[in-house]
Every structure is written in structure tokens, then in C-alpha cells.
Amino acid sequence: MREIKFIGSNEKTLVSMNKEYGWSLNLKELLMVKDYFEKLKREPTRAEIETIAQTWSEHCKHKTFSGPVEFIWKDRSGKIKMKKKFDNLFKETIVYATKKLNKKYCLSVFKDNAGIIELYPGSKWGICFKAETHNHPCAIEPYGGAETGVGGVIRDILGVGMGAKPVIDTDIFCFAYPDKKYDIGKGFLTPHNIISGVVSGVRDYGNKMGIPTANGAVVFDDSYIYNPLVYVGSAGLIPRDKINKKVVPQSLIVVIGGRTGRDGIGGATFSSADIEEETSSSHVQIGNAINEKKVLDVLLKARDKGLYTAVTDCGAGGFSSAIGELASDCGAEVWLDKALLKDENIEPWEIWVSESQERMVLCVPEKNLNKLKEICEMEECEFCVVGRFTDTKKLEVYHKKDKIIDLDMKFLHAGLPQIAKKAVYKERKTNYNSISIKNSEIPERFKKIISDLNVCSKRSIVEQYDHEVIGQTVIKPFCSMEQRVPSDSAVIWAGNVTGENNHRGFAVSCGINSRISKISPYLMSYYVVDEAVRNLVCVGADITRGAILDNFCSANPNYEDVMGDFTASAISASKAALDISMPYISGKDSFYNQTAVKNRVYKIPTTLLISAIAPVEDVRNAVSSDIKSEGNPIYVIGEFKKGMGASVYRELFKGDDFVSSIDLKKNRKYYLKIMESMRKKHILSAHDVSDGGFLTAVLEMALCGRGVEINIGGIKDKYKVSDAEALFGECGSKIILEVDMRKEKEFINFMREAPMLKVGKVVQGSSFILTDKGNIVFKEDVLKLREIWERKII
Amino acid sequence: MEIEIITLERFDVESKNIEKVFSDFSGLNSKIKLSRIYEISKDANKDYFKKIAEEVLYDPVVENFKLIGSDKRVFPGYKIFVKVSFKKGVTDVVGESVKKIISEMGYESPKEVKTSKGFYFSLNDKTEIINFIKENYANELIHNIIVEEI
């Protein structure tokens, strides 16, 4: 048994050991560990230090977000606008919003592997939802990283409560441009290589698991060159009486699924460090979807027979994290030599922290073991008993006769020292200039915008995923007869799982925008919360019973400017949720997304993904975004605002960097009106305005081959914006609606308090016509524009 | 023994795609042929490997296969061969599955099955080809890249 010399070691030695072993602990943490073992009057074992490092890692403890922060907000002139001390930033922003909103339909928030909301009032079923990042693994091995990211988030759904049935996966990526030549540092992968690997990994895992991948987004920006962001999400359905788990002392610790090997050792601690030019292959995890499918089948059968009392997934930190967390309130005795191994030469501490995939840990009363064994054998799923839960409040781990870990649970889970991070948020200087654009320039600029990677069709990625498996996907990533029009949200019918004879379901959407973050991380959170919710509104989901997830990604939080941007966006994320009345139910953060190459540090902008979920009362009434019939009027609900900041137009041409603020309280009011109007069947199609602006959004609705005529004169007059702002600006929150012409008067009367403007109509044929006060500015066949929009990404 | 499976010319869209990627990458033209390779560790005669290829691994409608022992690799019209395989210690999921299927089909289980991808090039420009493979089809963190002149 290998001991590590901590007692009597000076700070320099501790720091040097920390680097050598890759624990990613800071000095204060190292001294705390030293102090603990000095009191015990013995040296720690390698396994003990590895356990502490995993448990205290950024990935497992989220110590930056959950830690104290000294925040200073400076305005554009450098004057201090606000000073605030947070004891726990996460609790005082994200959790605060959820507590304050106090929605009764939230069944489980922030305490399990995923958040859970009611499927409908009084339902016996809950919808659970979780999104994860797998950024660091995807940066070094995109295929394996993406596969295991999907596998991990699916296991979160399997491990929530007593286990849920996953019914939809999501994928949201941020990449550098695959078609741009970069001077890539030695040892790093090209954007093309990363994209191909990530997309293939998500495809191969999701498709083999038999779960539809039906919602997502792709963002392209140079900032992600060395640090791609790979968000993966999964939602499932769980019986309401299976939401709570309980670890019972004396029950057996049973592992089902894959074997334990050397793959992925140190993944959790790897998340607490920047990516370096030299990275070890031991960080790489390779997934095996077939194994996870077996785990899924065993778990749901065993759950319904009541064979276990608690379950969790084996993710970052391996057994150390899974068993350590399950046993945190009672204690555990673990026999590592009983674990099924891939490689017999593996060291005991490696078995303990290995992040080999497709493993779940169950708490099984001994009397149920044989029945569980029968199910495992029937499904050809391997299982092993690796220990017993105890009531000693201690973590005791043995390998054969050697006791390699003997730690107090209290120290392990509550001993992490708190270190206040300094955060300074500096408002960026922005300028507003009313950008004008000549009518003659509009056609070419529009075509360039719709072929931009941030705007164009994501079909070449989406078509690789099975988004219809298990036959529950009502609104797919593309809608219309030919599946040519991009959808705002996926809508899933729940009856296949619940067995209920109704048409209840739910919608899943997302919001992400790194361009705004570079100008104002504070405003970015408002915009992405709004976008995610707006996407739900567009398909007719019930946002009064919805919820959101926060997934923050940031660079190294030890830089006060990085921490400042992050803190500002967390504050506004909290305010945005309160304003729009959508509680957070789960989330995750990923720091250290920065890389030093050739003496230059490449940092990502603070990037927040908001994933949103809401019930759909009757999936047969879900609204799609493709235009339906000739003659119907087209309306825009929502204000056009000043500024070209954060628009694709500004990236391609020039424009001011001003971003208008948005009022989510006001938005919510008209979103609710749209919801009601959809129930009254006034609205036949709806689509949100996002990347590319208003004109792009109208075109996307018409891509099914319908002709439309749009007049921008009214927009400019009503909202006092320029042509560029009206056509291509991305400020404000707008939804385009195709209204049933037979119900137009009823619609106008019902929506009269909302910011509303009639902007055009559906016309005969397939012409896309833009007019300004009666003059034709631009006329082109929709099918020709579709050819431009449908370019290949990979 | 290696079982190498190659898609018949008229069905081989993937190799054509790789040719395009190569041309975009290097500005050079080369005929390229992709193959999948199963390296089976088993002390057995050729019939054993032939049966495994025929009954487990290849699709006779669209593919062809050949057995490669210790002989020099030959493929008329091609000059460079690149093999991309997993480094030791990296999980080879397909290899593990094939090993399991072989024994489930009633054959003696091999000691190990390792999978690789093979790329044949008609162009004789080692440097350009290695750069191309490194940037597009391999990750040196988990893959070994072996280049042979044929």
C-alpha cells in the first residue's frame, strides 16, 4: 500500500506533488489535507488523496460557483457601480430565483442528478431534465468525448430518483469555423476534426441507445478554437412515486454495467485545470452504447420490481464519487477486489477513481440480490457486489486485506476550504450608430447572411441523428412535408411511456448566444433565457408550468475579469428567470475553458446555455414553424430595437456594437397571450427571430416552398429603426406568426395589448418578396434561397 | 492474422468523399481506398479466419475481403498504405464486440480482436498523406499511425 508523505512537508513540496500527481488542488486545500492527516497522526495513502482530489474537484463540488465571491461592477468610465459579497454565488443567484418563484409543479430541484417537474397538474408522472458539458474530453478526443458526454447525461436521467426512462437527447455545440484556416498549435486538433468527431460521437451513442436526439444548436466563433463547448442534455419520464431514493445501511453496494479499466483516470480533476499542449491519453474515455442500453433495460425492470432503494451514476470520479456521494450521510465499506475489471494490472486506487463508462451504482437490500441477478443475466448485463453501506459515517475501502482508504465522510464532503474569488466586471464601451443600407445592397447581403455558418441549415449535422426512434417525436428538428423548415423546439408525446390514454407531452428548447457575451455578459443571460422560453412559446408549450436549466462555461475563474463576467451573467440569469417566471431546476458549470498556445492565452467568452422544458397539453395542437396557406397574414409580435450589436450582420459587414436591453416581464405577458391565441387556433405557424434577424426568420418559415410578401416600411415607422436594424438586427424579442385569415379580426382583438405589427402575407407561388412602402426591394424564388441556406457544414 | 474488408468500387461513397477531402486539404489528387481491418490474435489456420470473415464480418453484396498474414501488403494501383489503429490501453469497443460474437457463433474465441482503419493512396507523397491523416482521420492521443510503401 502506497503512502504519500504529507506530514511535515512544506508548501513547496505539497505544490510540487500536486503538480506531479495532477490532483488540481490549490494550496489552501493541500494544507487542509495535511492538517487532517497530522491530526490522525498518519500519512495518507495515494487512494485517499485521489479520493479527496476527486471529491473536491470543480467537476464534483462546483467550488467556484458555490463558493464566496467578492464582486465589483465598474461602469464604462471605470467608476464602481456596485460592490457585493456573495457567500455562495450559486445559492444567491440561481437557487434564489427558484426559491423565490416557489413553483409547486417543481418536484425535485438541485438535489439529484436531474431536476423534475410535473407532467401536468395531478399527474402520476414527472418530466426530468439535465444538461451537461463534456468540453475538456471533446477538446482532446472529440469522438470519445462526445460519446461519453451523451452516455453520462443519459445516466443522469437513469440515476435521478429511482431511475427515469430517457425519451429525448439534446446537443448544443460551440466550435471554431471548420472552413477557416487557423494556425493551430502543435498537438491540437483542427476545428474540422473536432466537429466531425463530436457529431459522430453524439450520433453513434444516441442512435444506438434508441433515444431520439431532437433538439440542439450550433454556434461558430473563433473563440472556441482550442476549447470547443459540447453540451449534451437528456430528458426522461419518471413515475411520481419513484422520485425519492434512500440509502439503507447494511444494504449491498452493487455495480451494474461496464467493467472498470484504466480509461478516463483523472477526468474530474482534469476539469479543474486549463488544457495544456501535452495531455495524457489516460484522460480519454471511450463509450459503449450497447452496454448502457443493457444498463437502462436492467434498471427500469429492477426499479419497477422495487429491487433497490437508491441509484446513482458512475461519472466523473468513478466509484469514489458515486459511492462517496450515496454514502455521504451514512458510510460505506468497499471491497475493490470484487469489482469486475477490464485490465487485471490496474492499481487499487485506479479502480477507485477510474471513469470507465456505463456503470451505475445501486443500493440493494441483500434479500433482493438474486432477483436482480436474474434480470442482469436475462439482459446479459454484468454486475458485481463491491461493498456494503454502513452507519459508521466513514468511507472504508479495502483491496483484499489492505485498507487503502479510511476517511471521515464529514471531512470528505464538508471539509473543502472556502476561498473567496475576486470578480471584477467592467462594462464594455459600446457605440450606437444608426446603420443604413442601400436597397441595392440588400439581396447580396441577405444571401451572405443565410449562408453564414451561424445561420445556415444544420441539416448536415441533424440528419445524422435518429430523431424519431420510439415514435414519440411530434415536432422534429425540421418541419413541413419535406422536413425543410427549422423548428424552434422539439415536442415529445409522453403516452408511449406513461401508458396513459391522452395526448400529453412536453417541449424542449434551448437558448445560447456567445456574440452578445463578448459585448455584455450581463445582457447575454437575459437574451438566452428569453430565447429558450420564446422557442417553447412558438410550439405552443405551457410556459406557466415550465422550467429551465443553466449551463455556464467560462475560462479560468482565477482571473478577476473572467470571474467578473461570470458573476455578472449569473446575476442577470437569476433576474431573467424571476422576470419571466421560469425556475431553474438543475444545472452545471464548466470552468478553465482556456488554453495557452505559443505564449498566447485563448479564452472562451462566458457562455451560458439555457435549456428549457414545458408541458404540452395536447401534442396534436403543437404549432410548427412552416407556413401553411396562401392568403394568411403574417404578424410580428415583439418590439424591433435599436442596435446591430451581436448580429451576424455585424460579424459579416460592419455595424455598431450596441445591444438593447430587453424586458422579460413584459415579454412574458405577450408570450402568455400567444399561448392563449394558439389554444384558440388563431395561429397556424410561429417562429422566433434569432440568428440572422427578421428577414432570415421569415425565409426559414417559407422554406417549405411558400411565397411570402413582406413590407418593412411599417416596421421602420412604428419602431423608428433603420433598414438594417429592421431586416438584420438581432436586438429585442420577436416572434413571427402566420395567422389564420378567417380568424384575423379575432386575433387582432385578442392580442391588442401586445406589441404587434402586420408585416406581410403568404402569397401564391414560391416568390420571396420584400417591399418598402409599395416598392419591390428584393424578389427571389424561395427555392433558390433554400439552396443557399442548405449548405453543408461537414 | 488481419481480415481486411474493402467496399466494392460501385458502392464505395466513403472513399470518394475522402478523395474530395484530400483534394481540398492538399490541392493534390489521389485515388484513395478505405478499408476496415480486424486484427485477430489466434493461432489457427486460414480456414478459421476465412469463415469468420464470411460469416461474421463482411457483406458479400457490397464488400470484398482479403486475409493478410505476414506477407507484404499489395494493392495494384496504390503506392502508400496508412493504418490508423488504437493505442494500447484505449478501449476498442468494436474489437470487443467482434470477439464476443465470434465465440457466440460457435467458433473458438480469439485472444484479442483489434480494429483499425486502412487508407490506400495512389499518390506517392508520404509527408502530405501523413499530414492529411493526422489532421482529418486520426488523433495521435489515442491512435497509432503506421505508414507503409506498397
Side-chain angles (χ1 to χ4, degrees):
Chain A
M1 188 169 51
R2 197 167 158 201
E3 288 185 342
I4 294 186
K5 190 167 166 42
F6 260 65
I7 298 175
S9 292
N10 61 26
E11 290 181 3
K12 200 177 157 193
T13 313
L14 291 173
V15 170
S16 154
M17 281 196 298
N18 182 54
K19 192 164 183 203
E20 187 190 337
Y21 289 106
W23 297 322
S24 301
L25 293 168
N26 59 45
L27 182 60
K28 204 168 173 183
E29 290 162 353
L30 289 163
L31 292 171
M32 186 69 96
V33 175
K34 182 184 159 192
D35 185 50
Y36 175 76
F37 284 100
E38 277 177 349
K39 280 180 189 152
L40 291 178
K41 294 182 181 159
R42 69 169 176 89
E43 295 288 4
T45 63
R46 169 96 191 251
E48 285 174 326
I49 301 296
E50 294 288 346
T51 303
I52 294 166
Q54 303 288 335
T55 311
W56 292 2
S57 68
E58 192 62 69
H59 192 102
C60 295
K61 271 281 181 276
H62 302 277
K63 54 195 176 189
T64 299
F65 205 176
S66 299
V69 176
E70 290 167 10
F71 179 63
I72 296 172
W73 181 326
K74 291 181 179 172
D75 70 9
R76 281 157 212 186
S77 65
K79 209 172 122 192
I80 292 176
K81 201 168 157 184
M82 176 187 173
K83 258 187 172 184
K84 188 168 177 174
K85 276 191 179 177
F86 295 90
D87 293 325
N88 181 321
L89 181 62
F90 178 61
K91 280 192 177 165
E92 290 167 56
T93 52
I94 302 298
V95 179
Y96 170 79
T98 301
K99 282 193 172 170
K100 180 105 177 157
L101 288 168
N102 192 24
K103 301 281 189 185
K104 300 296 176 211
Y105 59 79
C106 291
L107 304 178
S108 174
V109 293
F110 300 118
K111 63 176 186 191
D112 206 337
N113 290 314
I116 309 175
I117 59 169
E118 258 184 348
L119 180 59
Y120 57 89
S123 170
K124 289 179 181 167
W125 289 82
I127 318 165
C128 41
F129 196 19
K130 174 70 179 279
E132 273 272 15
T133 52
H134 228 217
N135 306 332
H136 292 66
C138 289
I140 60 166
E141 211 311 272
Y143 181 83
E147 262 199 321
T148 53
V150 176
V153 80
I154 292 171
R155 285 198 305 282
D156 278 329
I157 296 304
L158 295 177
V160 66
M162 294 286 282
K165 162 99 176 152
V167 290
I168 177 175
D169 289 343
T170 65
D171 63 328
I172 296 92
F173 310 135
C174 300
F175 296 129
Y177 294 90
D179 54 354
K180 200 165 163 180
K181 287 273 176 202
Y182 296 97
D183 181 17
I184 301 279
K186 193 173 172 283
F188 291 98
L189 303 173
T190 61
H192 183 271
N193 213 333
I194 292 175
I195 296 170
S196 308
V198 166
V199 172
S200 310
V202 171
R203 173 197 66 205
D204 286 357
Y205 212 96
N207 292 2
K208 283 175 192 157
M209 283 298 294
I211 302 168
T213 304
N215 182 256
V218 193
V219 173
F220 293 95
D221 193 285
D222 293 337
S223 329
Y224 302 111
I225 179 161
Y226 294 113
N227 296 92
L229 302 184
V230 176
Y231 299 92
V232 281
S234 189
L237 290 158
I238 186 168
R240 205 167 169 153
D241 61 359
K242 305 282 185 207
I243 285 172
N244 297 314
K245 58 180 93 181
K246 192 180 177 195
V247 175
V248 183
Q250 302 314 315
S251 291
L252 298 172
I253 303 170
V254 176
V255 179
I256 63 169
R259 291 185 165 222
T260 303
R262 277 210 161 100
D263 38 352
I265 287 175
T269 50
F270 181 42
S271 71
S272 301
D274 300 352
I275 294 177
E276 291 177 358
E277 288 178 62
E278 292 294 324
T279 305
S280 161
S281 67
S282 68
H283 292 311
V284 176
Q285 305 145 357
I286 304 287
N288 185 339
I290 304 300
N291 264 351
E292 187 142 310
K293 180 73 173 72
K294 292 175 186 175
V295 169
L296 188 157
D297 293 341
V298 166
L299 202 80
L300 295 182
K301 282 182 183 165
R303 178 196 73 182
D304 292 341
K305 288 182 188 292
L307 299 185
Y308 57 88
T309 62
V311 58
T312 199
D313 78 304
C314 234
F319 290 154
S320 164
S321 170
I323 298 174
E325 276 174 28
L326 274 181
S328 59
D329 292 332
C330 55
E333 187 181 297
V334 182
W335 319 308
L336 285 181
D337 48 296
K338 304 289 183 201
L340 292 173
L341 303 176
K342 291 179 186 175
D343 175 1
E344 292 300 326
N345 296 322
I346 189 169
E347 297 265 339
W349 73 267
E350 292 178 311
I351 302 173
W352 183 238
V353 299
S354 162
E355 295 177 10
S356 289
Q357 298 292 299
E358 292 91 26
R359 298 173 302 164
M360 299 290 289
V361 177
L362 311 178
C363 173
V364 180
E366 201 158 352
K367 63 180 172 62
N368 295 340
L369 189 64
N370 282 338
K371 283 184 187 160
L372 179 67
K373 194 177 161 193
E374 277 171 26
I375 296 174
C376 287
E377 283 171 355
M378 196 165 67
E379 297 294 340
E380 294 183 352
C381 177
E382 289 195 308
F383 88 105
C384 54
V385 178
V386 298
R388 193 181 284 282
F389 291 101
T390 63
D391 52 9
T392 58
K393 312 264 181 207
K394 289 186 102 179
L395 178 63
E396 296 165 287
V397 181
Y398 294 85
H399 186 262
K400 295 180 179 163
K401 286 180 182 168
D402 291 336
K403 192 176 199 177
I404 63 164
I405 296 172
D406 188 357
L407 292 171
D408 291 316
M409 283 296 190
K410 195 176 168 192
F411 171 71
L412 194 57
H413 292 284
L416 176 69
Q418 297 287 306
I419 300 168
K421 288 251 188 305
K422 289 201 184 315
V424 179
Y425 176 60
K426 291 176 193 158
E427 283 180 9
R428 277 70 156 174
K429 283 180 185 156
T430 56
N431 296 302
Y432 174 69
N433 297 307
S434 181
I435 297 296
S436 61
I437 179 171
K438 289 179 196 157
N439 281 352
S440 58
E441 291 173 329
I442 290 174
E444 282 318 302
R445 293 198 174 189
F446 180 48
K447 286 174 189 173
K448 204 159 178 193
I449 286 170
I450 60 171
S451 69
D452 183 83
L453 283 183
N454 279 307
V455 179
C456 75
S457 173
K458 307 298 181 286
R459 179 180 289 279
S460 53
I461 292 175
V462 173
E463 71 185 358
Q464 299 194 37
Y465 308 142
D466 188 335
H467 41 258
E468 298 191 59
V469 63
I470 59 175
Q472 297 187 163
T473 317
V474 178
I475 291 198
K476 302 165 183 106
F478 290 93
C479 50
S480 82
M481 286 285 277
E482 290 180 309
Q483 301 275 301
R484 303 310 266 268
V485 177
S487 301
D488 293 290
S489 301
V491 174
I492 300 287
W493 172 53
N496 216 2
V497 175
T498 63
E500 291 175 346
N501 188 20
N502 60 33
H503 299 94
R504 302 270 182 180
F506 64 92
V508 171
S509 71
C510 63
I512 189 164
N513 195 321
S514 61
R515 291 191 299 274
I516 301 183
S517 185
K518 288 195 272 187
I519 296 169
S520 170
Y522 182 79
L523 282 179
M524 179 264 293
S525 298
Y526 278 101
Y527 269 87
V528 294
V529 168
D530 181 69
E531 188 191 2
V533 176
R534 200 155 21 111
N535 281 329
L536 290 179
V537 172
C538 287
V539 295
D542 182 359
I543 60 164
T544 64
R545 304 185 60 80
I548 49 178
L549 313 179
D550 65 292
N551 283 85
F552 285 94
C553 289
S554 185
N556 188 335
N558 297 318
Y559 290 81
E560 59 181 32
D561 60 331
V562 171
M563 197 59 202
D565 285 357
F566 173 75
T567 308
S569 62
I571 292 169
S572 56
S574 174
K575 289 182 176 173
L578 285 168
D579 287 352
I580 209 154
S581 195
M582 290 279 272
Y584 290 99
I585 55 168
S586 177
K588 210 85 195 248
D589 49 79
S590 164
F591 287 98
Y592 301 93
N593 291 290
Q594 70 176 50
T595 304
V597 181
K598 295 176 192 166
N599 301 323
R600 188 181 153 192
V601 178
Y602 293 82
K603 298 177 188 172
I604 64 150
T606 297
T607 309
L608 170 62
L609 165 72
I610 294 290
S611 306
I613 195 159
V616 175
E617 202 178 322
D618 187 336
V619 293
R620 294 171 303 175
N621 296 334
V623 177
S624 59
S625 46
D626 53 314
I627 281 175
K628 305 294 185 303
S629 304
E630 188 193 321
N632 286 329
I634 297 171
Y635 281 80
V636 177
I637 308 291
E639 293 170 3
F640 284 75
K641 296 216 168 192
K642 290 188 186 302
M644 295 301 285
S647 62
V648 172
Y649 182 92
R650 180 173 168 260
E651 297 268 312
L652 293 175
F653 312 105
K654 54 183 184 180
D656 62 80
D657 56 0
F658 182 78
V659 178
S660 289
S661 58
I662 49 174
D663 182 344
L664 268 61
K665 273 187 189 167
K666 197 169 153 190
N667 290 359
R668 178 178 161 84
K669 282 183 190 160
Y670 66 77
Y671 292 166
L672 295 180
K673 290 295 266 185
I674 292 174
M675 237 174 75
E676 268 311 301
S677 180
M678 282 177 174
R679 280 188 186 140
K680 292 175 187 290
K681 314 257 183 193
H682 300 154
I683 296 165
L684 297 178
S685 62
H687 191 35
D688 86 311
V689 177
S690 61
D691 300 291
F694 165 72
L695 202 58
T696 300
V698 178
L699 173 68
E700 285 174 344
M701 294 176 81
L703 287 170
C704 49
R706 292 275 177 199
V708 286
E709 187 180 323
I710 298 295
N711 170 29
I712 58 161
I715 300 171
K716 291 189 290 182
D717 291 346
K718 179 165 181 171
Y719 296 108
K720 312 290 175 219
V721 290
S722 68
D723 299 63
E725 286 163 339
L727 295 173
F728 307 120
E730 295 178 26
C731 292
S733 318
K734 301 177 283 285
I735 295 178
I736 302 171
L737 303 175
E738 178 199 359
V739 175
D740 186 339
M741 58 184 158
R742 294 164 303 179
K743 297 184 177 175
E744 190 178 2
K745 275 188 187 165
E746 216 180 303
F747 169 80
I748 294 169
N749 193 35
F750 185 75
M751 295 292 291
R752 62 185 180 277
E753 285 162 17
M756 174 175 64
L757 185 67
K758 186 174 180 175
V759 288
K761 63 180 178 196
V762 184
V763 295
Q764 195 182 22
S766 61
S767 292
F768 189 79
I769 307 161
L770 179 68
T771 64
D772 187 357
K773 291 167 187 165
N775 301 316
I776 292 179
V777 177
F778 170 48
K779 186 175 176 183
E780 184 64 274
D781 194 312
V782 165
L783 304 181
K784 280 193 178 161
L785 294 171
R786 188 167 78 189
E787 272 175 34
I788 299 169
W789 182 76
E790 284 187 342
R791 64 172 284 193
K792 270 200 157 197
I793 296 175
I794 50 170
Chain B
M1 179 74 80
E2 280 182 10
I3 299 171
E4 184 172 38
I5 295 170
I6 295 175
T7 306
L8 298 175
E9 188 71 30
R10 64 183 183 280
F11 298 111
D12 194 1
V13 182
E14 209 172 346
S15 294
K16 294 277 170 249
N17 284 342
I18 299 171
E19 282 175 7
K20 189 177 179 305
V21 177
F22 181 71
S23 165
D24 292 346
F25 176 84
S26 63
L28 301 168
N29 290 320
S30 173
K31 216 174 142 196
I32 299 172
K33 200 79 193 160
L34 174 72
S35 72
R36 36 181 234 279
I37 299 165
Y38 300 86
E39 201 176 326
I40 299 180
S41 306
K42 174 81 183 161
D43 194 9
N45 60 29
K46 271 195 172 181
D47 277 353
Y48 171 85
F49 298 103
K50 194 167 170 271
K51 281 197 167 163
I52 285 173
E54 286 171 347
E55 292 188 23
V56 181
L57 297 174
Y58 103 109
D59 178 349
V61 179
V62 295
E63 292 174 330
N64 226 330
F65 78 91
K66 53 187 177 182
L67 301 179
I68 298 169
S70 51
D71 324 335
K72 192 172 160 46
R73 195 178 298 270
V74 278
F75 199 156
Y78 294 90
K79 291 171 183 151
I80 301 276
F81 171 72
V82 183
K83 185 161 128 180
V84 179
S85 53
F86 289 113
K87 280 184 175 172
K88 200 168 181 283
V90 176
T91 310
D92 183 350
V93 178
V94 177
E96 284 174 7
S97 301
V98 170
K99 186 185 166 193
K100 194 164 176 264
I101 291 164
I102 290 172
S103 57
E104 281 179 1
M105 296 277 289
Y107 296 102
E108 269 186 55
S109 180
K111 194 176 160 204
E112 192 182 24
V113 178
K114 284 162 72 179
T115 60
S116 314
K117 272 185 182 176
F119 300 83
Y120 290 89
F121 291 82
S122 62
L123 184 78
N124 195 359
D125 185 338
K126 249 186 182 179
T127 316
E128 198 62 55
I129 287 170
I130 292 170
N131 285 341
F132 168 69
I133 292 292
K134 278 184 182 173
E135 288 221 1
N136 294 282
Y137 294 98
N139 180 357
E140 288 181 277
L141 188 66
I142 59 162
H143 290 133
N144 284 321
I145 302 170
I146 298 165
V147 184
E148 286 173 31
E149 283 180 26
I150 54 171

